[in-house]
Amino acid sequence: MRIGVLTGGGDCPGLNAVIRAIVRKGEGVYGHQIIGFRHGWRGVLDNELTELTIASTRGILHRGGTILGTSRTNPFQHDDGVAIVQATLARENVDALVTIGGEDTLGVAHKLGAEGVPCVGVPKTIDNDLSATDVTFGFNTAVQIATDAIDRLHTTAESHDRVMVVEVMGRHAGWLALSSGLAGGADLILIPEQPFDLDVLCDRLRHRHARGASFSIVVVAEGAEPAAGTMTIQAATTDEFGHARLGGIGNALAPEIESRTGYETRVTTLGHVLRGGTPTAFDRILATRFGLEATDAAHDGDFGTMVALRGTDVVRVPLGDAVRELKTVPPSLLDSAAVFFG
Ligand code: F6P
């Protein structure tokens, strides 16, 4: 077989571990040829590819980013995109395409499946917002990076008696904010799933300070939204998948907190730092297991599936189940975290 591999969407720690596992199993166990398309779907449209061998993928397990490069290209937004994808795969004799990505990349894989393109999905994203898998790889690393940052910000908050607003990524899901906020002992966590009320937020900070605290840490997800009519947020530009480029809510929030409470307030936006650097051991192992199972699925001709973690098992699930709706934080989880707020 010739198995194609691509990484699409935002880069994320663990992508190289998946690529390495696919090559080790595909070439080393099954004797298949593995080729990598450069920059996600863009490489399939532009016929930009490279051969992946055991020799060429040595030493990448611990490396962040993706040796293949990535992009937010959506073939369905390009003239004749689907036909070009089909033509590239036919010309290159690709029998199976392992697509490593989040909701966008895997959404394309799912739609292309209906056009006869033989895809297997591997779920990645620091946002952890894909359904049908308990967790995506990359998330654990991002939570650890954010937690380390919150720990460090605590010392400045404490020394200067400040409110520190920490903005984390996560797009429309609050997993990263909630998890790092809980792990880092945040005093307030704002997530997209529950619009925040500035008055309530400031009351909670005042209440905390009235009880003797001299500082506070507020973790805010980039996609958190103020309750209707309470604050104006600038409209953002969108990508080929129609997603707004988020970021900046922390900067909008901090002056409001400072002017309403009188507490000196600073902002740290963690942004792409959360996607950078080496994956944690958890993510390396999960990514490796996903890569091995995806290779088996490709070998078996089990297309239209995505590998997923269910409990402690790596299983195959229908791609459609993963991309139908975003996995967001249930209200009960935020409610249980609220015991630590204010
Ligand atoms: O989906 C991963 C993610 O890091 C989101 O959390 C964030 O909103 C987005 O990608 C940022 O994308 P870009 O790297 O294109 O700015």
Side-chain angles (χ1 to χ4, degrees), residues 142-173:
V143 171
Q144 191 58 55
I145 295 170
T147 304
D148 289 346
I150 295 166
D151 285 350
R152 287 173 188 277
L153 290 166
H154 255 102
T155 57
T156 300
E158 211 169 357
S159 305
H160 287 261
D161 293 348
R162 283 178 181 163
V163 175
M164 301 297 272
V165 175
V166 189
E167 180 181 313
V168 301
M169 284 185 161
R171 210 174 249 169
H172 305 298

mmCIF file of all heavy atoms in Angstrom, residues 142-173:
data_model
loop_
_atom_site.group_PDB
_atom_site.id
_atom_site.type_symbol
_atom_site.label_atom_id
_atom_site.label_comp_id
_atom_site.label_asym_id
_atom_site.label_seq_id
_atom_site.Cartn_x
_atom_site.Cartn_y
_atom_site.Cartn_z
ATOM 1 N N ALA A 142 -0.609 21.421 26.665
ATOM 2 C CA ALA A 142 -1.061 22.817 26.776
ATOM 3 C C ALA A 142 -1.517 23.129 28.200
ATOM 4 O O ALA A 142 -1.241 24.213 28.733
ATOM 5 C CB ALA A 142 -2.178 23.079 25.773
ATOM 6 N N VAL A 143 -2.215 22.176 28.815
ATOM 7 C CA VAL A 143 -2.665 22.393 30.206
ATOM 8 C C VAL A 143 -1.451 22.552 31.121
ATOM 9 O O VAL A 143 -1.424 23.424 32.000
ATOM 10 C CB VAL A 143 -3.555 21.215 30.695
ATOM 11 C CG1 VAL A 143 -3.826 21.322 32.184
ATOM 12 C CG2 VAL A 143 -4.868 21.176 29.923
ATOM 13 N N GLN A 144 -0.430 21.742 30.884
ATOM 14 C CA GLN A 144 0.774 21.822 31.724
ATOM 15 C C GLN A 144 1.484 23.166 31.544
ATOM 16 O O GLN A 144 1.912 23.795 32.514
ATOM 17 C CB GLN A 144 1.726 20.654 31.394
ATOM 18 C CG GLN A 144 2.857 20.519 32.388
ATOM 19 C CD GLN A 144 2.341 20.315 33.819
ATOM 20 O OE1 GLN A 144 1.558 19.402 34.082
ATOM 21 N NE2 GLN A 144 2.755 21.171 34.744
ATOM 22 N N ILE A 145 1.585 23.619 30.283
ATOM 23 C CA ILE A 145 2.251 24.910 30.024
ATOM 24 C C ILE A 145 1.478 26.042 30.707
ATOM 25 O O ILE A 145 2.052 26.918 31.365
ATOM 26 C CB ILE A 145 2.356 25.182 28.500
ATOM 27 C CG1 ILE A 145 3.261 24.142 27.820
ATOM 28 C CG2 ILE A 145 2.887 26.592 28.224
ATOM 29 C CD1 ILE A 145 3.218 24.182 26.297
ATOM 30 N N ALA A 146 0.155 26.014 30.569
ATOM 31 C CA ALA A 146 -0.669 27.070 31.177
ATOM 32 C C ALA A 146 -0.567 27.024 32.700
ATOM 33 O O ALA A 146 -0.484 28.063 33.366
ATOM 34 C CB ALA A 146 -2.124 26.927 30.736
ATOM 35 N N THR A 147 -0.541 25.818 33.247
ATOM 36 C CA THR A 147 -0.449 25.677 34.711
ATOM 37 C C THR A 147 0.884 26.221 35.220
ATOM 38 O O THR A 147 0.936 26.936 36.235
ATOM 39 C CB THR A 147 -0.618 24.185 35.109
ATOM 40 O OG1 THR A 147 -1.855 23.728 34.580
ATOM 41 C CG2 THR A 147 -0.601 24.007 36.612
ATOM 42 N N ASP A 148 1.951 25.895 34.502
ATOM 43 C CA ASP A 148 3.274 26.424 34.895
ATOM 44 C C ASP A 148 3.253 27.955 34.864
ATOM 45 O O ASP A 148 3.801 28.611 35.755
ATOM 46 C CB ASP A 148 4.365 25.922 33.929
ATOM 47 C CG ASP A 148 4.644 24.441 34.100
ATOM 48 O OD1 ASP A 148 4.216 23.861 35.116
ATOM 49 O OD2 ASP A 148 5.275 23.855 33.195
ATOM 50 N N ALA A 149 2.617 28.512 33.837
ATOM 51 C CA ALA A 149 2.566 29.978 33.718
ATOM 52 C C ALA A 149 1.764 30.578 34.874
ATOM 53 O O ALA A 149 2.158 31.594 35.463
ATOM 54 C CB ALA A 149 1.953 30.361 32.375
ATOM 55 N N ILE A 150 0.654 29.949 35.204
ATOM 56 C CA ILE A 150 -0.176 30.467 36.304
ATOM 57 C C ILE A 150 0.613 30.414 37.623
ATOM 58 O O ILE A 150 0.588 31.353 38.426
ATOM 59 C CB ILE A 150 -1.509 29.680 36.410
ATOM 60 C CG1 ILE A 150 -2.351 29.911 35.153
ATOM 61 C CG2 ILE A 150 -2.290 30.084 37.656
ATOM 62 C CD1 ILE A 150 -3.521 28.945 34.993
ATOM 63 N N ASP A 151 1.336 29.318 37.822
ATOM 64 C CA ASP A 151 2.179 29.208 39.027
ATOM 65 C C ASP A 151 3.148 30.384 39.098
ATOM 66 O O ASP A 151 3.345 31.001 40.143
ATOM 67 C CB ASP A 151 2.985 27.905 39.007
ATOM 68 C CG ASP A 151 2.134 26.684 39.332
ATOM 69 O OD1 ASP A 151 0.969 26.872 39.747
ATOM 70 O OD2 ASP A 151 2.624 25.552 39.167
ATOM 71 N N ARG A 152 3.785 30.686 37.968
ATOM 72 C CA ARG A 152 4.762 31.790 37.950
ATOM 73 C C ARG A 152 4.070 33.132 38.185
ATOM 74 O O ARG A 152 4.598 34.008 38.865
ATOM 75 C CB ARG A 152 5.494 31.825 36.615
ATOM 76 C CG ARG A 152 6.475 30.702 36.469
ATOM 77 C CD ARG A 152 7.067 30.640 35.067
ATOM 78 N NE ARG A 152 7.862 29.435 34.915
ATOM 79 C CZ ARG A 152 9.121 29.310 35.310
ATOM 80 N NH1 ARG A 152 9.733 30.337 35.841
ATOM 81 N NH2 ARG A 152 9.777 28.181 35.168
ATOM 82 N N LEU A 153 2.893 33.298 37.593
ATOM 83 C CA LEU A 153 2.196 34.580 37.748
ATOM 84 C C LEU A 153 1.731 34.794 39.186
ATOM 85 O O LEU A 153 1.563 35.937 39.630
ATOM 86 C CB LEU A 153 1.029 34.654 36.765
ATOM 87 C CG LEU A 153 1.487 34.782 35.302
ATOM 88 C CD1 LEU A 153 0.329 34.513 34.342
ATOM 89 C CD2 LEU A 153 2.084 36.162 35.041
ATOM 90 N N HIS A 154 1.512 33.706 39.895
ATOM 91 C CA HIS A 154 1.124 33.814 41.299
ATOM 92 C C HIS A 154 2.130 34.650 42.096
ATOM 93 O O HIS A 154 1.753 35.442 42.955
ATOM 94 C CB HIS A 154 1.045 32.415 41.941
ATOM 95 C CG HIS A 154 -0.353 31.953 42.145
ATOM 96 N ND1 HIS A 154 -0.973 31.034 41.319
ATOM 97 C CD2 HIS A 154 -1.271 32.291 43.084
ATOM 98 C CE1 HIS A 154 -2.203 30.821 41.742
ATOM 99 N NE2 HIS A 154 -2.426 31.570 42.813
ATOM 100 N N THR A 155 3.423 34.441 41.806
ATOM 101 C CA THR A 155 4.429 35.131 42.633
ATOM 102 C C THR A 155 4.361 36.638 42.423
ATOM 103 O O THR A 155 4.482 37.411 43.376
ATOM 104 C CB THR A 155 5.850 34.587 42.344
ATOM 105 O OG1 THR A 155 6.128 34.745 40.970
ATOM 106 C CG2 THR A 155 5.960 33.128 42.722
ATOM 107 N N THR A 156 4.155 37.061 41.178
ATOM 108 C CA THR A 156 4.044 38.509 40.928
ATOM 109 C C THR A 156 2.734 39.051 41.500
ATOM 110 O O THR A 156 2.700 40.139 42.096
ATOM 111 C CB THR A 156 4.133 38.801 39.414
ATOM 112 O OG1 THR A 156 5.394 38.332 38.950
ATOM 113 C CG2 THR A 156 4.010 40.279 39.115
ATOM 114 N N ALA A 157 1.672 38.291 41.323
ATOM 115 C CA ALA A 157 0.372 38.725 41.853
ATOM 116 C C ALA A 157 0.484 38.968 43.357
ATOM 117 O O ALA A 157 0.047 40.003 43.885
ATOM 118 C CB ALA A 157 -0.678 37.660 41.565
ATOM 119 N N GLU A 158 1.125 38.030 44.022
ATOM 120 C CA GLU A 158 1.254 38.069 45.472
ATOM 121 C C GLU A 158 2.176 39.213 45.910
ATOM 122 O O GLU A 158 1.860 39.958 46.838
ATOM 123 C CB GLU A 158 1.876 36.734 45.913
ATOM 124 C CG GLU A 158 1.440 36.267 47.257
ATOM 125 C CD GLU A 158 1.896 34.821 47.493
ATOM 126 O OE1 GLU A 158 2.483 34.189 46.586
ATOM 127 O OE2 GLU A 158 1.665 34.348 48.611
ATOM 128 N N SER A 159 3.305 39.364 45.216
ATOM 129 C CA SER A 159 4.276 40.387 45.609
ATOM 130 C C SER A 159 3.748 41.797 45.403
ATOM 131 O O SER A 159 4.055 42.712 46.161
ATOM 132 C CB SER A 159 5.570 40.227 44.794
ATOM 133 O OG SER A 159 6.062 38.934 44.924
ATOM 134 N N HIS A 160 2.938 41.986 44.340
ATOM 135 C CA HIS A 160 2.470 43.340 44.002
ATOM 136 C C HIS A 160 1.008 43.596 44.401
ATOM 137 O O HIS A 160 0.467 44.635 44.054
ATOM 138 C CB HIS A 160 2.592 43.563 42.493
ATOM 139 C CG HIS A 160 3.994 43.735 41.999
ATOM 140 N ND1 HIS A 160 4.560 44.957 41.750
ATOM 141 C CD2 HIS A 160 4.951 42.819 41.721
ATOM 142 C CE1 HIS A 160 5.808 44.798 41.311
ATOM 143 N NE2 HIS A 160 6.071 43.501 41.290
ATOM 144 N N ASP A 161 0.383 42.645 45.050
ATOM 145 C CA ASP A 161 -1.044 42.772 45.386
ATOM 146 C C ASP A 161 -1.866 43.102 44.141
ATOM 147 O O ASP A 161 -2.650 44.060 44.123
ATOM 148 C CB ASP A 161 -1.263 43.883 46.426
ATOM 149 C CG ASP A 161 -0.666 43.528 47.770
ATOM 150 O OD1 ASP A 161 -0.285 42.340 47.950
ATOM 151 O OD2 ASP A 161 -0.561 44.415 48.627
ATOM 152 N N ARG A 162 -1.689 42.303 43.115
ATOM 153 C CA ARG A 162 -2.370 42.600 41.848
ATOM 154 C C ARG A 162 -3.402 41.543 41.488
ATOM 155 O O ARG A 162 -3.331 40.399 41.943
ATOM 156 C CB ARG A 162 -1.358 42.617 40.704
ATOM 157 C CG ARG A 162 -0.533 43.879 40.657
ATOM 158 C CD ARG A 162 0.472 43.796 39.532
ATOM 159 N NE ARG A 162 1.278 45.000 39.514
ATOM 160 C CZ ARG A 162 2.435 45.115 38.874
ATOM 161 N NH1 ARG A 162 2.921 44.091 38.208
ATOM 162 N NH2 ARG A 162 3.093 46.253 38.890
ATOM 163 N N VAL A 163 -4.286 41.946 40.591
ATOM 164 C CA VAL A 163 -5.118 40.972 39.893
ATOM 165 C C VAL A 163 -4.368 40.635 38.607
ATOM 166 O O VAL A 163 -3.963 41.534 37.869
ATOM 167 C CB VAL A 163 -6.509 41.541 39.546
ATOM 168 C CG1 VAL A 163 -7.306 40.543 38.702
ATOM 169 C CG2 VAL A 163 -7.276 41.894 40.822
ATOM 170 N N MET A 164 -4.132 39.359 38.380
ATOM 171 C CA MET A 164 -3.471 38.932 37.143
ATOM 172 C C MET A 164 -4.505 38.218 36.284
ATOM 173 O O MET A 164 -5.088 37.209 36.697
ATOM 174 C CB MET A 164 -2.317 37.966 37.436
ATOM 175 C CG MET A 164 -1.235 38.547 38.337
ATOM 176 S SD MET A 164 -0.379 39.967 37.630
ATOM 177 C CE MET A 164 0.915 39.178 36.718
ATOM 178 N N VAL A 165 -4.727 38.757 35.099
ATOM 179 C CA VAL A 165 -5.644 38.117 34.145
ATOM 180 C C VAL A 165 -4.783 37.285 33.203
ATOM 181 O O VAL A 165 -3.842 37.800 32.600
ATOM 182 C CB VAL A 165 -6.441 39.172 33.361
ATOM 183 C CG1 VAL A 165 -7.295 38.517 32.277
ATOM 184 C CG2 VAL A 165 -7.311 40.005 34.304
ATOM 185 N N VAL A 166 -5.084 35.992 33.102
ATOM 186 C CA VAL A 166 -4.305 35.091 32.239
ATOM 187 C C VAL A 166 -5.224 34.591 31.131
ATOM 188 O O VAL A 166 -6.209 33.895 31.403
ATOM 189 C CB VAL A 166 -3.780 33.867 33.026
ATOM 190 C CG1 VAL A 166 -2.797 33.081 32.168
ATOM 191 C CG2 VAL A 166 -3.151 34.294 34.331
ATOM 192 N N GLU A 167 -4.900 34.982 29.892
ATOM 193 C CA GLU A 167 -5.748 34.541 28.769
ATOM 194 C C GLU A 167 -5.143 33.297 28.124
ATOM 195 O O GLU A 167 -3.967 33.275 27.787
ATOM 196 C CB GLU A 167 -5.863 35.666 27.740
ATOM 197 C CG GLU A 167 -6.738 35.256 26.549
ATOM 198 C CD GLU A 167 -6.844 36.359 25.498
ATOM 199 O OE1 GLU A 167 -7.085 37.519 25.868
ATOM 200 O OE2 GLU A 167 -6.669 36.035 24.308
ATOM 201 N N VAL A 168 -5.968 32.269 27.960
ATOM 202 C CA VAL A 168 -5.505 31.038 27.307
ATOM 203 C C VAL A 168 -6.337 30.772 26.059
ATOM 204 O O VAL A 168 -7.457 31.263 25.925
ATOM 205 C CB VAL A 168 -5.578 29.808 28.253
ATOM 206 C CG1 VAL A 168 -4.730 30.026 29.486
ATOM 207 C CG2 VAL A 168 -7.008 29.468 28.632
ATOM 208 N N MET A 169 -5.762 29.972 25.147
ATOM 209 C CA MET A 169 -6.495 29.603 23.924
ATOM 210 C C MET A 169 -7.602 28.599 24.232
ATOM 211 O O MET A 169 -7.880 28.321 25.395
ATOM 212 C CB MET A 169 -5.516 29.032 22.905
ATOM 213 C CG MET A 169 -4.667 30.074 22.217
ATOM 214 S SD MET A 169 -3.671 29.280 20.936
ATOM 215 C CE MET A 169 -3.242 30.718 19.950
ATOM 216 N N GLY A 170 -8.169 28.044 23.204
ATOM 217 C CA GLY A 170 -9.215 27.042 23.391
ATOM 218 C C GLY A 170 -10.402 27.243 22.473
ATOM 219 O O GLY A 170 -11.336 26.457 22.480
ATOM 220 N N ARG A 171 -10.360 28.337 21.734
ATOM 221 C CA ARG A 171 -11.426 28.694 20.798
ATOM 222 C C ARG A 171 -12.793 28.686 21.495
ATOM 223 O O ARG A 171 -12.949 29.370 22.478
ATOM 224 C CB ARG A 171 -11.398 27.735 19.612
ATOM 225 C CG ARG A 171 -11.894 28.400 18.354
ATOM 226 C CD ARG A 171 -11.731 27.514 17.178
ATOM 227 N NE ARG A 171 -10.724 28.009 16.281
ATOM 228 C CZ ARG A 171 -10.235 27.326 15.279
ATOM 229 N NH1 ARG A 171 -10.620 26.092 15.078
ATOM 230 N NH2 ARG A 171 -9.353 27.863 14.484
ATOM 231 N N HIS A 172 -13.742 27.872 21.021
ATOM 232 C CA HIS A 172 -15.091 27.971 21.590
ATOM 233 C C HIS A 172 -15.345 26.990 22.729
ATOM 234 O O HIS A 172 -16.483 26.796 23.150
ATOM 235 C CB HIS A 172 -16.133 27.792 20.488
ATOM 236 C CG HIS A 172 -15.922 28.764 19.375
ATOM 237 N ND1 HIS A 172 -16.010 30.130 19.569
ATOM 238 C CD2 HIS A 172 -15.560 28.589 18.094
ATOM 239 C CE1 HIS A 172 -15.736 30.744 18.433
ATOM 240 N NE2 HIS A 172 -15.451 29.831 17.523
ATOM 241 N N ALA A 173 -14.281 26.367 23.197
ATOM 242 C CA ALA A 173 -14.430 25.416 24.304
ATOM 243 C C ALA A 173 -13.534 25.853 25.470
ATOM 244 O O ALA A 173 -12.439 26.368 25.265
ATOM 245 C CB ALA A 173 -14.035 24.010 23.846
#
